[in-house]
Each structure stands twice: as structure tokens, then as C-alpha cells.
Amino acid sequence: MAVEAARSLPGVLKQLRTLLEPLRKEEPLPPQTAVGFFTDTSLCIGCKACEIACKQWNQLPAREPVWAGTSYDNTRELNAINWRHVLFIERLGRHEEGSHAGGGTAGTVAAPTELPFFNPDRWLMLSDVCKHCAHAPCLEACPTGAIIRTEFDTVYVQQDVCNGCGYCVVACPFGVIARDALGGTARKCTLCYDRLKDGLEPACAKVCPTDSIVFGPVDQLRQQAEARLTQLHERGLREARLYGADDTILEGGLHAFFLLLDEPAVYNLPERPSRPSRHVLPASFWTALAALALGLFGIFSFRRR
Amino acid sequence: MQPERQSFSAWLATGQALAQRLRQISRATGWMDLLAVLSTGYHPDPEREQQEPTYYDYPALKEPVWRWEIVWYFFLGGLAAGCYFIASLAALFGGPEDRATRRAGYYLSLLALLPCPLLLIKDLGRPERFLNMLRMFKVRSPMSMGVWCLVSFSFFSGLSALIQAARDHWLGHWWGAHWLARLPQRLLALPGMALALFLGGYTGVLLATTSIPLWSRSKMLGAVFISSAISTSSALITFVLRLSAAPAAALHKLERLEWGALLSEQLALLAFLRGSGRAARVLVGHGPAEHGPRFWRFVAIGGLLLPWLLQTRLLLSRRTHSEADTDGMASQRPEQKRVSLSSLWLSLLVLIGGYFLRRTIIEAGHHSSRDARTTLWHARAAR
Ligand code: SF4
Ligand code: SF4
């Protein structure tokens, strides 16, 4: 008996410590330069190497293949096990229609030489990923503090803290983060936090054969994006635009931003999403107003016979 | 006995006729379309919507993971908050005739509160980690604030109910019970009431602080939920008091409060629908992925407008009665019986409406997240 108790006491203590572990406040690590992605869709060839590299590096399970029936894109969405997703927008017939929303297609038809790989009037591709927002709604919503900003200024979900409440899932304006049915926690791109710690570039950027996905310090990437945009505009690709490279989206921009060849909605990207944490004040104001009115009415009801 | 049974069968017959008529009306969906357009101010234009670009209509947002547990939590949490609020009003401002209201309110508040933490824990992806919620105190995150509010409100609700039980001699006659009974229940009521109002309203603020178009476009959901918390709670307390033959004066006060809460709920709901415009279509329309049939039948008309109108009539007739005969005991007796049956129904309608309000808003939120066109419109159109 005594021996058993002696043996189990340290065990109990250890268990207690792991139980209390999430409560310990850790000193933040010294900040490094903010890094992110510049995804240039004019270079993407839709090879999906990034999807595969991400799955391999992060040991994410594969799903039973399902034919989407709409395009070559059978991944269809970012979710708890797809952290990169290559959109494949087929626009065969867009030429003939002419009257398509956005109208001015006829004037901006790209001659084959403008882009080396494809004609944006036929196909558009984009390798979608978590945007690592400068003011991340998922992080702002998280009640457990599982979602943190790392020393690289990226947004990271601590899997041992997340309890799967699902608030980040509805907070993200891009439909990125998802709750896993298997693990029960919220998961998304980590910007290869483990690789960054070892001074390696993220798996998807490393593997991208056309350098459509560029990894680097955010400031530098923004300059590079501007330069590329000017170049494309000079070549006559008027539709080209940057998405999330400046500070307008979510009041601070995105650390993973894009060069698009059409309006954001074509890629299912919200044009000017609102930042959910900005809703707290107005919503509370109206609630408090209603509560005040009801309180006064209640006092009145109970005082008068 | 005889006349009462007759009146009951007559009442049943009119009810059936009414249901028949309602079924006829509701089979034609034109009225719902009209209401949907009027309430949201949005004329659907399928052709133009079809022109808007999206990526194969794949959802642009993730679907919420919240299901029936959250619907029941919102409903019961609202009841717990509202009952506490009303009981405290009765304790602070009421007279001796309101003692029954206070008792019922404090007990019902605790009863409604008990399942809430269980529902919330069950809803988590990793229920065993529910305590991680208490690692943080985050003013920007309504869920974090809500958890803290729930924890502290439980203390007040539990203690107030205990004091009530001690005063009602349910806890026996030992020193602990005497000590409890002497605690200042009315002093507890002040902070408790503030927390109760927070608990009743934060759920709406929580939904508004997301990216789901239906929940977040207009910022009125909190006002809707707090009003509904109080209307459903006064309906519940009235229901219980009526069964236990409470004084008419106490019931009268509750009815008046319910009337006011129903009015404020209707106004808030209207402001919510107007402010949401196209985003609310999924709640009020009658398409395959839209929740209008349930919303209009059980919430807007059956759970709000109809009970409110009935309540108005009841209050008006009460007033003329009480003016006609001041003591009125003898003459009111037989009539009181009939009124009470219909007012039991009235309370039930309000309670059912409150439940379906939460349910349709949560379920329509799921559909709202799947609708890429409205999501992208929501992010494009000026707010
Ligand atoms: S894109 Fe979504 S998941 Fe990624 S940081 Fe922004 S809010 Fe969070
Ligand atoms: S950074 Fe890493 S985790 Fe994120 S998408 Fe790329 S490979 Fe996946």
C-alpha cells in the first residue's frame, strides 16, 4: 500500500501539473520580423503541389476523393485538414457571353504573350490559404486564448489549449478556420510555425514550381507585389489588382495577400469584410438601451397597482 | 360543471375552425412573400443575383458548429435571466401581493439555469477542456464575457433561490437555514439584476460579433434577445402563478410587463429585419433553404403579434372591469375562470415563440453561411 501511494504521488502531481499547464502565463518570445505570403495568381498553374506538400509536412489526413463536378478543383474548400486549397475557375464561354458581370472583358483580353502560362480569360487559379490577418477576427473571438500571435506575427492555434467552442469558425470572414470532427479542435494553416523556428521556409512556398507562392518578410513582399502589379498593368492586364496588401482589409491588411486577375468575388473573397470585434459596441449599445427601457417599464409595472 | 364543459367544447370548435382557416391561408405563400418584402425592405431579384460572381456557389464562410444545444442554452439562459430579473423587481419594488412572483421567479431562475452549463459543455469539441474558458478575461470577445457572466450569475441565482427556500422553510429549522433566511436578498438583487440583463442580452451580441450575414449585418440581435428573455419569463411565471391561483393583482402586473416586453421585442425584431435587408431573406423567405414558414407562424405572428394583441385586449378589459366595480370579487369569479384558460394559452404561445425565435435564427444562420452570393454582397455593400 505505502509503496503504491509513494509511486502514485509523483504521478498525481505530474497529472495535476499538466492539468494546470494551460493556466500558466508564458513570457512572449522576442519578436522577429513579420513574415507572410505573397500569392501571385498570375503565375499559378494549378498543379496543387502546395496542397500536397502541406498535407505531407503537417501529416494531415486525406479525404475520400469526391468529384466536385464543377471544375478540376475537387478539394473545394479550406478546412481542418486542407490548409492550402487551389481554386480552379474555368471560364470557357465567358468570351462569347460578353455581358458577364464586370462587363469590360472585351477590352482587356490578354494576348497570349502577356502571361506566360495561360490566358486569364479562360482559367483563373488561386492557391488559397489562411490570411494571417494583422487584426485576426478568429484570434479576437477566441475565449480560451488558444489562438495566439507568434513572434513571427503569424496567427497560430495552440492545439493543446483549444476546446473547440467554435467561435473562431464563425468569426473568420474568409471561411478558413474549421473545427475538426476527429480532433474536436479548431485547425488551420500554421504558416509552418515549426519550420519557421528552424529557419526553413514553409512547405507550400518551398515546393511551388512557379514561385506563385512567395514567402518572406511582409514589408518586402508588399514592395514586390507593387512592382509586379505595375509590370502587369504596363503589359495591359488592367484587371490585375492586389488583395490585402495594403492596410484597408480588416484595418490592418493581411499577412498572406494576393494578386488577383479579376474582382475578389470571382475568387469567393469578400471585398471589404467588416471586423467582427467592431460590432461589440453598437450591438451592446442597442442591447443596453432595450434593457434600460425594459427595466424602467418593469419598475413602473410593479409600482403601480 | 356543465356550462364550463360547454364553453370548453365551443372553444375547441372555434379553435378548429380557426386552424382550418389558417391552414388555408398558409397554403398560399403569397402573404409570406409580402411580409418578407415589407419587413426587410428587400425585393429579391433572382436574375440580378445570378449575375453576381461567386466561385461555383461554394460557401464563402464556414458553417457554424452550433446546433440544438445552443438553441436550448439561449432559450433557458434567457429564462433564467428574465425570471431573476422579474423576481428581483418584485422584491425591490413590489408589494405584499407580489410575494408569489418573487418566490416563483427565484426558483424558476435556478431551475432554468441548471442545464445551461451542461449544454454549453456538451457543445464543445473537447468538453473535458471546458475550464480553459476561464484562462482569459477578454472584453472584446462576447463569449469570454458571457462565460464570466454565467459563472457569476450562477452564484447570485443560486444564493437567491437558497435564501428563498430557507424563508419558505423548505430547508428545515436548523441554524444554517435560519442564517440563510436572514441574508439580505434584496441587496443581492441589485448586482444580480445587472448580471441577469447581461446574460439575457449577451447571446445576441455574441451572434452579432461574427461574420455570418444574417447575425451580424444589423446589430439588433441583443435587443431582440433581451426583450424575448423578459417576455418569455413573464409568460412562464404567469403560467405557474395562474396554476397556483395567485392574487389577480400580481398577475396583472406580470401581464403588463409581458405586454411591454412583447412590444419591445416586436420593435427590435422589426429593426433587426429592416437593418439586415437582403441578409435576413434566409430567415423570412419561403424558399427551400429559407426559414420563413416557421418564423412567421411560430415567432412573428403566433409568438409575438397574436399574444400581444390578446394581451392588449385583456389589459383593456381589465381596466374597464376594475373601474366598473372596485371590489368585484363576486361578479368576477365565473368570468375569471374562462379568461384564465385563454391566458394559459397565451403564455404558452409566448414561450413557444421564444424557443422558435432562437431556433430559427440559429438554423437560418447555418443557411446564411452557405449562401456565398449574400455573403459577398454583405462584404461589398456599404453598412
Ligand atoms: S484568415 Fe481567418 S483563420 Fe486566418 S487569421 Fe484571418 S480570421 Fe484567422
Ligand atoms: S504555411 Fe505550412 S501550414 Fe500553412 S499552408 Fe503552407 S504548408 Fe500548410
Side-chain angles (χ1 to χ4, degrees):
Chain A
M1 270 311 265
V3 178
E4 211 171 86
R7 206 192 296 141
S8 68
L9 192 66
V12 167
L13 276 181
K14 196 171 155 231
Q15 226 172 18
L16 203 72
R17 217 173 309 130
T18 47
L19 222 99
L20 293 178
E21 188 63 15
L23 287 175
R24 212 185 56 201
K25 191 165 169 71
E26 272 181 60
E27 276 305 305
L29 296 163
Q32 313 276 325
T33 31
V35 293
F37 290 128
F38 165 43
T39 306
D40 180 351
T41 67
S42 68
L43 293 177
C44 182
I45 54 170
C47 71
K48 302 179 192 175
C50 49
E51 280 188 21
I52 303 304
C54 176
K55 284 219 181 226
Q56 285 194 325
W57 179 262
N58 294 297
Q59 302 188 322
L60 298 170
R63 214 171 40 175
E64 271 298 303
V66 181
W67 299 120
T70 41
S71 78
Y72 283 109
D73 169 17
N74 293 317
T75 311
R76 291 208 299 278
E77 57 167 17
L78 291 170
N79 59 30
I81 55 168
N82 299 323
W83 298 351
R84 272 274 178 194
H85 162 219
V86 179
L87 284 77
F88 202 108
I89 303 160
E90 293 179 46
R91 311 210 279 185
L92 306 175
R94 186 178 186 245
H95 238 349
E96 291 84 70
E97 271 174 32
S99 66
H100 186 86
T105 334
T108 59
V109 175
T113 48
E114 282 165 3
L115 287 173
F117 299 114
F118 67 95
N119 180 338
D121 248 12
R122 294 293 187 210
W123 298 295
L124 293 177
M125 286 123 182
L126 174 145
S127 177
D128 200 6
V129 70
C130 168
K131 279 73 184 171
H132 294 276
C133 318
H135 294 293
C138 61
L139 187 153
E140 292 178 328
C142 179
T144 62
I147 306 186
I148 55 161
R149 193 160 282 289
T150 69
E151 65 270 32
F152 302 101
D153 223 354
T154 59
V155 180
Y156 176 72
V157 191
Q158 306 175 83
Q159 290 301 322
D160 55 337
V161 179
C162 171
N163 65 9
C165 74
Y167 201 18
C168 55
V169 175
V170 282
C172 172
F174 308 100
V176 171
I177 193 164
R179 193 168 92 180
D180 189 350
L182 304 170
T185 54
R187 306 220 269 161
K188 68 169 192 70
C189 161
T190 64
L191 218 131
C192 284
Y193 192 27
D194 47 353
R195 289 175 66 94
L196 293 191
K197 289 230 180 217
D198 283 342
L200 296 170
E201 101 182 278
C204 53
K206 175 92 189 166
V207 82
C208 179
T210 63
D211 260 353
S212 166
I213 302 172
V214 194
F215 165 82
V218 174
D219 298 333
Q220 209 174 303
L221 289 179
R222 286 185 172 178
Q223 283 169 16
Q224 189 178 338
E226 287 297 338
R228 174 68 178 163
L229 184 69
T230 325
Q231 188 186 32
L232 286 180
H233 280 174
E234 274 166 8
R235 290 203 202 157
L237 219 70
R238 294 268 105 212
E239 301 258 292
R241 72 198 75 196
L242 296 179
Y243 180 81
D246 54 10
D247 281 351
T248 48
I249 290 186
L250 293 174
E251 302 168 28
L254 312 174
H255 285 187
F257 52 89
F258 301 85
L259 185 147
L260 306 179
L261 296 179
D262 206 332
E263 55 181 307
V266 169
Y267 301 86
N268 254 13
L269 290 171
E271 203 168 300
R272 270 177 287 119
S274 73
R275 184 176 163 191
S277 64
R278 287 268 175 230
H279 306 177
V280 175
L281 269 186
S284 306
F285 170 76
W286 290 111
T287 314
L289 201 70
L292 192 73
L294 286 165
L296 290 178
F297 190 80
I299 295 176
F300 161 80
S301 302
F302 273 90
R303 285 221 119 143
R304 245 187 54 181
R305 291 288 158 96
Chain B
M1 211 55 219
Q2 195 57 31
E4 198 178 296
R5 193 175 296 158
Q6 229 169 34
S7 78
F8 182 74
S9 61
W11 178 82
L12 208 69
T14 46
Q16 271 169 351
L18 200 73
Q20 181 77 31
R21 184 88 194 90
L22 275 180
R23 228 172 288 135
Q24 274 171 7
I25 298 176
S26 56
R27 221 169 272 143
T29 43
W31 64 275
M32 220 183 284
D33 250 345
L34 188 70
L35 282 178
V37 169
L38 281 179
S39 58
T40 59
Y42 173 67
H43 296 262
D45 184 351
E47 234 164 79
R48 207 195 51 229
E49 281 170 33
Q50 219 46 48
Q51 296 265 309
E52 297 172 356
T54 82
Y55 181 53
Y56 299 112
D57 274 311
Y58 294 163
L61 294 174
K62 280 278 157 301
E63 194 167 332
V65 291
W66 303 330
R67 301 193 172 274
W68 64 267
E69 298 95 344
I70 292 304
V71 175
W72 278 101
Y73 165 64
F74 281 9
F75 180 61
L76 292 175
L79 281 179
C83 287
Y84 191 92
F85 174 76
I86 293 169
S88 302
L89 276 181
L92 291 173
F93 302 101
E97 74 275 14
D98 295 322
R99 235 174 258 146
T101 309
R102 182 207 302 205
R103 281 177 60 188
Y106 281 137
Y107 290 146
L108 287 172
S109 165
L110 184 60
L111 268 185
L113 190 66
L114 286 178
C116 289
L118 300 178
L119 287 167
L120 281 185
I121 290 172
K122 159 125 197 354
D123 164 72
L124 295 177
R126 297 292 294 265
E128 78 281 6
R129 293 188 186 167
F130 72 94
L131 274 179
N132 285 5
M133 289 282 187
L134 304 180
R135 285 177 80 231
M136 286 260 155
F137 187 85
K138 227 181 191 176
V139 184
R140 273 184 310 186
S141 166
M143 190 180 284
S144 174
M145 298 312 289
V147 167
W148 284 108
C149 170
L150 186 66
V151 169
S152 32
F153 176 73
S154 315
F155 169 75
F156 284 95
S157 178
L159 194 57
S160 298
L162 266 184
I163 296 174
Q164 193 61 46
R167 290 188 183 169
D168 292 343
H169 306 298
W170 284 12
L171 300 182
H173 290 277
W174 55 299
W175 63 268
H178 290 303
W179 179 76
L180 264 177
R182 252 181 285 122
L183 284 183
Q185 196 183 32
R186 286 163 56 129
L187 203 66
L188 282 178
L190 276 176
M193 253 165 115
L195 284 171
L197 288 174
F198 193 106
L199 183 69
Y202 96 89
T203 47
V205 179
L206 184 146
L207 291 188
T209 310
T210 63
S211 290
I212 308 291
L214 171 70
W215 296 344
S216 66
R217 186 160 182 89
S218 108
K219 313 286 179 276
M220 294 301 294
L221 264 190
V224 175
F225 279 13
I226 184 68
S227 311
S228 166
I230 293 174
S231 69
T232 47
S233 302
S234 37
L236 181 65
I237 298 181
T238 318
F239 189 85
V240 170
L241 287 197
R242 221 178 271 287
L243 291 181
S244 58
L251 287 174
H252 191 45
K253 291 180 178 179
L254 282 171
E255 277 161 6
R256 199 157 43 193
L257 179 59
E258 186 177 332
W259 180 87
L262 284 173
L263 179 64
S264 126
E265 193 176 344
Q266 286 174 85
L267 292 176
L269 197 59
L270 200 64
F272 167 72
L273 294 177
R274 272 268 144 189
S276 303
R278 175 174 169 183
R281 184 74 200 174
V282 66
L283 183 65
V284 296
H286 63 81
E290 295 171 337
H291 295 252
R294 231 180 227 161
F295 175 78
W296 290 112
R297 278 178 205 147
F298 293 120
V299 183
I301 297 175
L304 281 173
L305 190 63
L306 185 68
W308 184 72
L309 288 176
L310 288 176
Q311 195 73 269
T312 313
R313 224 194 59 179
L314 208 72
L315 287 175
L316 285 179
S317 73
R318 275 285 161 72
R319 172 168 296 170
T320 49
H321 267 296
S322 57
E323 270 163 18
D325 48 351
T326 28
D327 66 338
M329 270 336 236
S331 63
Q332 255 181 1
R333 266 283 157 75
E335 199 230 12
Q336 194 98 45
K337 263 261 149 66
R338 218 189 64 220
V339 168
S340 75
L341 194 61
S342 64
S343 18
L344 280 186
W345 269 110
L346 197 148
S347 303
L348 274 184
L349 280 180
V350 173
L351 283 168
I352 294 171
Y355 165 75
F356 274 103
L357 172 77
R358 272 82 170 179
R359 181 161 160 187
T360 47
I361 284 182
I362 297 280
E363 286 180 352
H366 282 247
H367 278 108
S368 183
S369 74
R370 283 183 222 154
D371 179 357
R373 285 170 204 273
T374 304
T375 306
L376 296 171
W377 161 83
H378 169 56
R380 192 166 44 228
R383 274 164 294 248

